[in-house]
Amino acid sequence: MVEVFAVASGKGGTGKTTSTVALGMALADRYDVTVVDADTGMANLLFHAGLSDAETTLHDVLADDAPVEAAAYDRFGLTVVPCGTSLDGFRDADPDRLRDVVATLAEDTDVILLDSPPALDSRTAVLPIVLADRIVVVLQPTIPAISDGLKVQEYATTYDTDVAGLLFNKVRESESIEQVSEKTERYFDGPTLAAVPESERAREARRAGRPLLAHAPECEAATAYRAAAESLTVRDGAAADAADRFQSAVIPESL
């Protein structure tokens, strides 16, 4: 079985990468999970997974300088494919090769999480949504963030990618998340998976270069992420069929 989720937000600062890794670790209790940093322009995953010194990254794979296996690292119960941060690496990377990367990874995992670029302003940014079976939309409970999330959903439905659910993040005690969630679900196709509270432990984990669920597994935010993963039902799919589909995916020429 294999299913690919793009974790997307439509804007920066929502805690998307933290959420991607946390969901991955929580899902890894039941599935074999691979997390890919598909944000080739502003990569962040390597800093969350203790891979800031990784010699081979997705940039090398997309430049056809290394096989994907060389950029896959075992970390915290996950297979992590980080992306580099150099401008040269970004320039040399061919985003079209992401299809083959996902197809190769799909042969040997149950779940793939694509940490997507925050802004959908280029074909490179939209590509993870095109390749995914479903998206998880990470939102803050604010009107601008919800508006950006709706744009993500619009792109997803354009390319026949379903919405798996909404994940509210960095929720403050003063925010009436139940009312916001109820109103938001009227406009989104998926349910609310969880509301993750604002957390100093998440910031500590980021500074330590460790995932939140490894750094503070019992904190409220970690508990909320595990609840989100429990709410996320992974669909069965044949790996060979998935690989063929990814390799033949039509990449938009322009937005």
Side-chain angles (χ1 to χ4, degrees):
M1 64 175 294
V2 62
E3 185 170 16
V4 179
F5 297 91
V7 183
S9 62
K11 69 182 294 293
T14 61
K16 176 177 54 59
T17 302
T18 295
S19 299
T20 303
V21 179
L23 283 175
M25 287 188 65
L27 287 168
D29 288 340
R30 294 178 286 152
Y31 305 103
D32 187 276
V33 179
T34 298
V35 179
V36 180
D37 193 341
D39 187 356
T40 58
M42 297 185 66
N44 206 13
L45 178 60
L46 71 175
F47 301 117
H48 289 256
L51 288 168
S52 57
D53 296 329
E55 292 186 5
T56 305
T57 73
L58 183 63
H59 271 167
D60 300 298
V61 180
L62 297 181
D64 204 21
D65 291 333
V68 65
E69 293 82 4
Y73 301 85
D74 292 330
R75 288 290 188 277
F76 305 102
L78 307 170
T79 298
V80 179
V81 181
C83 193
T85 58
S86 75
L87 291 176
D88 288 342
F90 174 67
R91 180 198 62 209
D92 295 339
D94 179 0
D96 289 3
R97 290 198 175 101
L98 186 60
R99 291 181 298 186
D100 294 329
V101 169
V102 175
T104 299
L105 294 170
E107 295 173 359
D108 194 31
T109 194
D110 298 326
V111 176
I112 298 175
L113 298 178
L114 302 176
D115 186 21
S116 305
L120 304 179
D121 55 0
S122 68
R123 63 193 295 267
T124 301
V126 173
L127 184 54
I129 293 174
V130 176
L131 291 176
D133 297 296
R134 291 187 287 168
I135 60 170
V136 174
V137 186
V138 181
L139 303 169
Q140 288 178 266
T142 66
I143 291 175
I146 292 169
S147 177
D148 288 327
L150 284 169
K151 294 175 186 175
V152 173
Q153 177 174 268
E154 182 180 351
Y155 276 112
T157 54
T158 297
Y159 297 107
D160 296 323
T161 301
D162 296 332
V163 178
L166 315 176
L167 181 62
F168 285 97
N169 194 27
K170 299 184 178 181
V171 178
R172 298 182 178 90
E173 291 183 7
S174 60
E175 293 168 324
S176 301
I177 189 60
E178 290 82 6
Q179 295 180 3
V180 173
S181 175
E182 181 180 347
K183 292 179 180 179
T184 302
E185 286 184 359
R186 300 175 189 171
Y187 304 100
F188 283 89
D189 296 336
T192 297
L193 300 174
V196 181
E198 180 81 30
S199 175
E200 177 59 33
R201 305 309 298 273
R203 288 186 283 271
E204 290 174 2
R206 171 66 176 78
R207 291 192 292 268
R210 289 169 57 81
L212 173 64
L213 268 65
H215 180 76
E218 303 305 322
C219 73
E220 289 185 34
T223 299
Y225 279 121
R226 283 193 289 270
E230 284 292 329
S231 301
L232 194 62
T233 303
V234 177
R235 301 169 178 171
D236 289 337
D241 293 341
D244 289 342
R245 178 167 55 80
F246 300 138
Q247 287 174 324
S248 61
V250 177
I251 301 174
E253 290 300 324
S254 62
L255 297 181

